[in-house]
Amino acid sequence: MIFTANTKGLGGELTVPGDKSISHRAVMFGALSKGTTSVTHFLKGADCLSTIHCFRKMGISIEEEGEQLLIHGQGLHGLTKPSGWLDAGNSGTTTRLLSGILSGQSFSATIHGDASIQSRPMGRIMEPLKQMGAHIVSLNHNGCAPLEITGGSLRGISYQSPVASAQVKSAVLLAGLYAEGITSVTEPALSRNHTELMLRGFGAQVDICPEARTASIHPEPELWGQQVQIPGDISSAAYFIAAATITPHSEVLLRQVGINPTRAGMLQVCAEMGADITLLQKSCHGGEPAADLLIRSSDLTGTVIEGERIPTLIDELPILAVLACFAKGTTIIRDAQELKVKESNRIAVMVQNLSAMGAHITATEDGMIIEGGAPLHGAVLESHKDHRVAMSLAVAALQASGETRIQDASCVDISYPGFYGDLQSLFR
Ligand code: S3P
């Protein structure tokens, strides 16, 4: 796909698709509940469709009715053994959270996925789930999918996770639904808490202690179908926040974007860099806060992004690297080694692509260093089929001279079908 610079500015308003993390969880927890769960603003991206597909294969009826998704749950013990593999596609969230759920079932099943999923680390969930009593085999003996999971009688554990990962935390807590005794997870920094908030809403007893970075769950709750209203995905909004900020003469309004503090680190960092973002019309559904975001173009200065903040903006680091290219001075991203095990190695891939555009950017062991202000020019860029890389580079292309070509640009369908059309709709 070919992109050229925008000179007239971006304007207008947009409702970005529903939050990906919350969409996955609505399907999963709806399936494990009694009665019907209705979901509005569900993200119909390929990742969440993989989750739907997996649960349909385990006997759950899921239908679309107008704007709503209806999940006819069968209770905690109502899943049935799938015939053949469960296909998680490109989705780490599907693979890891489903592993936790399968650990508590009375049947065995195998989760498979695409080339990216087959190279992402699964030892991080296999380890605690095995400690709880599940039998999990990496069929290629490399700690990655395909994973064959045989559920067993599980025991609750107090797990000290070595990584701040909501997928690890959620896998363990979901297995904890089926365990004997309480299961708790303590993480080195607080990761997104959608699982804890939503499971509570469905009726589980979840104790959250943010100061200790610990969440605990009591087993065998009766979960009941709920109405879930999903906010816009801040990780999708991030591209328009960046685009409007770096494109002169822009003013863009993004409607009802989720601003859960465990996800909204990018807003703080942008504000510190000098971005002009105003929060309006605050609301809250199911414990998930949201707001309209009004973004006007502005000058930026470099900053340091590190420490406990990293999990709150982990998926936004590729687009923050783009923003840093347009900031005055140096931006340092550190403590972000997790970027290397996302859909692609996002440190290597962003450095390679932004360097090809003329940016002054260096990879480090755990992040990147960006000297802002070097003018960007068009180039042929490789998305590596990573949706967030493709969208970040499309934003960089808005302020690059000449023509930019992004290979495998259609991978944005993973989290944002219609992204390029929505971006185009803001062109004046
Ligand atoms: C997610 C958690 C994060 C994030 C991913 C979605 C989730 O991954 O990067 O896009 O929905 O729980 P990690 O748990 O690996 O940090």
Side-chain angles (χ1 to χ4, degrees), residues 19-22 24-25 47 92-93 96-97 120 124 164-170 191-192 194-195 235 263 311 314-315 338 341-343 346 387-388:
D19 187 276
K20 181 157 81 70
S21 293
I22 300 177
H24 281 296
R25 287 159 172 81
D47 266 12
T93 308
R96 296 199 176 109
L97 271 60
R120 295 184 66 186
R124 54 179 59 194
S165 159
Q167 293 179 357
V168 171
K169 173 174 64 178
S170 302
S191 67
R192 64 192 66 189
H194 306 303
T195 294
S235 299
R263 287 288 296 286
I314 187 73
D315 291 341
E338 275 294 299
V341 290
K342 293 295 178 188
E343 286 83 328
R346 289 181 175 161
H387 54 129
R388 303 214 182 278

Side-chain angles (χ1 to χ4, degrees), residues 14-303:
L14 204 60
T15 302
V16 298
D19 187 276
K20 181 157 81 70
S21 293
I22 300 177
S23 293
H24 281 296
R25 287 159 172 81
V27 172
M28 294 182 180
F29 306 167
L32 301 181
S33 299
K34 289 190 174 148
T36 299
T37 289
S38 65
V39 187
T40 50
H41 206 46
F42 180 80
L43 168 64
K44 289 184 202 154
D47 266 12
C48 300
L49 297 180
S50 293
T51 291
I52 289 185
H53 188 71
C54 290
F55 279 86
R56 280 190 175 140
K57 270 195 121 175
M58 292 189 287
I60 302 299
S61 157
I62 301 171
E63 46 179 3
E64 270 184 62
E65 196 179 84
E67 292 295 291
Q68 292 197 329
L69 188 74
L70 299 179
I71 301 136
H72 302 289
Q74 296 295 325
L76 217 48
H77 298 278
L79 301 178
T80 54
K81 181 176 170 62
S83 64
W85 285 343
L86 295 169
D87 185 359
N90 189 247
S91 173
T93 308
T94 310
T95 308
R96 296 199 176 109
L97 271 60
L98 193 50
S99 297
I101 293 170
L102 289 176
S103 294
Q105 305 305 312
S106 55
F107 53 80
S108 65
T110 301
I111 310 178
H112 210 338
D114 69 7
S116 158
I117 273 295
Q118 288 179 55
S119 65
R120 295 184 66 186
M122 293 299 152
R124 54 179 59 194
I125 49 140
M126 290 168 68
E127 171 66 30
L129 295 174
K130 282 180 178 178
Q131 279 180 28
M132 294 178 80
H135 297 277
I136 310 186
V137 181
S138 160
L139 293 180
N140 292 335
H141 310 289
N142 60 356
C144 302
L147 300 178
E148 185 186 69
I149 302 173
T150 309
S153 52
L154 304 182
R155 53 191 164 271
I157 57 170
S158 296
Y159 187 60
Q160 299 275 343
S161 177
V163 276
S165 159
Q167 293 179 357
V168 171
K169 173 174 64 178
S170 302
V172 176
L173 292 177
L174 285 166
L177 290 171
Y178 300 92
E180 205 180 295
I182 294 173
T183 298
S184 71
V185 182
T186 302
E187 16 180 23
L190 202 57
S191 67
R192 64 192 66 189
N193 62 2
H194 306 303
T195 294
E196 298 91 302
L197 295 178
M198 199 188 287
L199 273 178
R200 255 189 192 170
F202 276 76
Q205 191 179 334
V206 183
D207 302 317
I208 308 175
C209 182
E211 303 76 40
R213 301 172 313 282
T214 300
S216 318
I217 195 159
H218 293 243
E220 294 294 335
E222 281 231 318
L223 303 180
W224 290 99
Q226 300 293 314
Q227 293 184 349
V228 181
Q229 188 171 329
I230 300 184
D233 195 328
I234 191 165
S235 299
S236 298
Y239 306 104
F240 303 110
I241 294 171
T245 298
I246 63 172
T247 307
H249 319 296
S250 294
E251 182 172 310
V252 169
L253 183 70
L254 303 173
R255 293 274 184 212
Q256 291 305 297
V257 176
I259 52 167
N260 178 322
T262 63
R263 287 288 296 286
M266 177 180 175
L267 296 180
Q268 283 171 15
V269 168
C270 285
E272 285 164 23
M273 293 176 82
D276 182 351
I277 306 173
T278 310
L279 272 58
L280 305 160
Q281 304 285 342
K282 288 188 185 168
S283 65
C284 191
H285 296 279
E288 295 285 353
D292 290 352
L293 305 182
L294 178 66
I295 306 110
R296 298 192 182 93
S297 19
S298 59
D299 294 334
L300 299 172
T301 47
T303 188

